[in-house]
Amino acid sequence: MAEFTFELNDDQKQVRDWLHGFAADVIRPAAAEWDEREETPWPVIQEAAKVGVYSLDFYAQQYFDPTGLSIPMVMEELFWGDAGIGLSIVGTGLAAVGVLANGTDEQIGTWIPQMYGDVDDVKVAAFCSSEPDAGSDVAAMRTRAVYDEAKDEWVLNGTKTWATNGGIANVHVVVAVVDPGAGSKGHASFIVPPGTPGLSQGQKFKKHGIRASHTAEVVLEDVRVPGHCLLGGKEKLDERLARAREAKAAGGTGGERVKNAAMATFEASRPAVGAMAVGTARAAYEVALDYAKTRSQFGRPVIDNQGIAFQLVDMRTRIDAARLLVWRASWMAATGKAFTAAEGSMSKLYASETAKDVTARAVQILGGNGFTREYPVERMHRDSAIYTIFEGTSEIQRLVIARTLSGMPIR
């Protein structure tokens, strides 16, 4: 078992420096343009594929790092470059994690490569869980999957929303209700292969931030997928539903937790989202620090004012603390340590709130310049708002943590 350390090894440092160079040389120069265009930055994704940043092999190497630190390190550097473009590059990973968390070895080997395509034909994937009336409340999900035994097909109907890459993806991973009576335990995840009839893009959202990342509704109308597209397989699903029904009949859970498909994906990805927030916060802090050292007011650098210098101290302290929480959670997940205090949610909560706080302070330090699009902190401040919302709002993270700490069904 890898021991927890705050020091990256030589291989990790080499990857970090390589990613930092890509973020500085390729992502940052393109950030303002694609934010204004509000379109998927396909040329940047193509460049990422050419150098190996956008590839199954690269993310597999980072995912299986025994220390758990490689994925948060990757996320921090890419999102230091730009959050919108960073999410366009890593958004496929959420769908991939959905397959890794719930799929069989055969499904993993079949579908994840199709999510990325290749250098000459880059593809993206989408994870579809949220609905118009079911965001954080996954138990309110209405999308249904009904099994057609005669044809060994599942028929999906419903509308998903807030789907990164929704409608433009090559592969969609869709969470649907298979047993309404089982509540959130009656959910399952399905692969919708490329070109499947009945799946279409609904509304594309015009967003406050991360505008280079495509976010849209996904409409499912009598979408038929083969039985082998049920992640984990039907036998495993039937066993899980039987346990849930037995527990319900017994008047409780029987001391046994039944895994929820959407929650399994979110549990695995929350520290990575925290790392994204750290990257954005660090970028804004560095701009503010440089500005405060070079900008003069009343005949001296702005940083010579304690009011500014102390703000920068607080910003840096919060960033470092957030990174350590993210690294701890990532290390715990990689080494099989249980989140006994909801450490994954804790890391996401603190890092996302840190990003909002640090970017707001950066805008304030730059004053009027910080409020214009001539300086990147304006965009970073807009981008930071998403971290406290997606993959579980800050309120949901606090609820998860409170329930874990207290053992009580806090509402």
Side-chain angles (χ1 to χ4, degrees):
M1 181 179 294
E3 295 184 358
F4 181 59
T5 175
F6 300 133
E7 182 68 26
L8 298 176
N9 61 42
D10 290 341
D11 289 342
Q12 290 169 329
K13 290 177 181 177
Q14 185 176 5
V15 172
R16 179 198 61 193
D17 294 344
W18 171 59
L19 284 171
H20 187 79
F22 180 81
D25 297 339
V26 179
I27 294 178
R28 280 205 168 177
E33 175 189 352
W34 292 99
D35 177 74
E36 291 287 348
R37 292 176 64 167
E38 299 191 53
E39 297 174 357
T40 300
W42 289 109
V44 182
I45 299 175
Q46 184 79 45
E47 286 299 312
K50 286 180 180 178
V51 301
V53 174
Y54 186 78
S55 72
L56 171 60
D57 289 344
F58 175 70
Y59 286 105
Q61 290 174 14
Q62 311 314 311
Y63 185 84
F64 291 109
D65 167 25
T67 72
L69 301 185
S70 288
I71 285 293
M73 179 193 68
V74 168
M75 297 300 174
E76 179 176 339
E77 292 304 326
L78 291 177
F79 282 70
W80 172 89
D82 178 66
I85 293 178
L87 190 57
S88 291
I89 293 174
V90 307
T92 292
L94 184 58
V97 169
V99 176
L100 284 169
N102 301 293
T104 65
D105 290 343
E106 183 179 358
Q107 289 169 331
I108 291 169
T110 298
W111 295 112
I112 293 183
Q114 295 187 48
M115 294 179 175
Y116 288 92
D118 55 44
V119 175
D120 298 320
D121 188 19
V122 172
K123 304 293 185 182
V124 294
F127 182 74
C128 307
S129 176
S130 294
E131 298 184 1
D133 296 319
S136 297
D137 182 12
V138 295
M141 192 175 294
R142 295 181 179 178
T143 296
R144 296 288 188 266
V146 178
Y147 185 56
D148 183 342
E149 188 171 0
K151 295 184 178 180
D152 186 25
E153 292 179 339
W154 289 90
V155 185
L156 280 63
N157 282 282
T159 299
K160 295 296 181 177
T161 193
W162 311 122
T164 299
N165 298 329
I168 66 170
N170 192 47
V171 176
H172 290 77
V173 178
V174 177
V175 182
V177 178
V178 295
D179 184 349
S184 64
K185 298 177 179 66
H187 295 176
S189 291
F190 298 85
I191 293 288
V192 180
T196 301
L199 184 147
S200 62
Q201 179 183 308
Q203 176 187 3
K204 177 186 176 183
F205 296 103
K206 297 180 73 66
K207 305 187 298 295
H208 175 65
I210 55 167
R211 301 197 304 192
S213 174
H214 176 97
T215 310
E217 290 181 332
V218 174
V219 180
L220 304 141
E221 298 178 307
D222 291 329
V223 173
R224 286 182 169 268
V225 300
H228 61 76
C229 287
L230 166 64
L231 290 180
K234 193 168 187 305
E235 182 178 349
K236 184 177 179 180
L237 172 65
D238 289 342
E239 292 174 355
R240 176 160 59 86
L241 292 177
R243 291 197 302 270
R245 292 177 188 128
E246 290 172 3
K248 185 176 181 180
T253 63
E256 182 179 27
R257 292 185 62 200
V258 181
K259 186 172 73 171
N260 172 276
M263 288 298 99
T265 300
F266 292 142
E267 287 170 6
S269 60
R270 277 173 178 159
V273 175
M276 299 173 189
V278 171
T280 298
R282 188 183 113 211
Y285 160 76
E286 289 176 0
V287 172
L289 176 63
D290 182 67
Y291 185 90
K293 290 165 65 177
T294 57
R295 173 73 168 178
S296 292
Q297 288 288 305
F298 305 105
R300 59 180 184 174
V302 171
I303 199 170
D304 200 28
N305 184 312
Q306 283 189 4
I308 299 298
F310 288 1
Q311 283 205 61
L312 288 161
V313 168
D314 291 343
M315 292 159 72
R316 175 59 185 268
T317 302
R318 286 201 61 166
I319 291 166
D320 283 11
R323 182 184 297 108
L324 293 178
L325 285 171
V326 167
W327 282 16
R328 179 184 68 169
S330 301
W331 173 77
M332 290 176 68
T335 54
K337 294 187 179 295
F339 287 167
T340 57
E343 287 87 351
S345 290
M346 197 182 295
S347 70
K348 197 265 186 185
L349 169 66
Y350 191 78
S352 60
E353 294 290 347
T354 292
K356 285 187 68 175
D357 177 74
V358 168
T359 56
R361 290 178 187 239
V363 170
Q364 190 68 24
I365 288 171
L366 269 67
N369 286 328
F371 199 66
T372 71
R373 295 187 185 180
E374 298 299 316
Y375 288 80
V377 292
E378 180 272 340
R379 184 179 67 253
M380 294 168 184
H381 184 44
R382 285 189 286 109
D383 290 342
S384 70
I386 193 60
Y387 299 125
T388 62
I389 298 172
F390 71 176
E391 295 199 48
T393 63
S394 287
E395 291 74 20
I396 289 296
Q397 306 307 324
R398 290 186 173 97
L399 187 63
V400 169
I401 297 166
R403 287 174 175 174
T404 303
L405 295 178
S406 67
M408 302 294 290
I410 298 170
R411 298 182 182 276

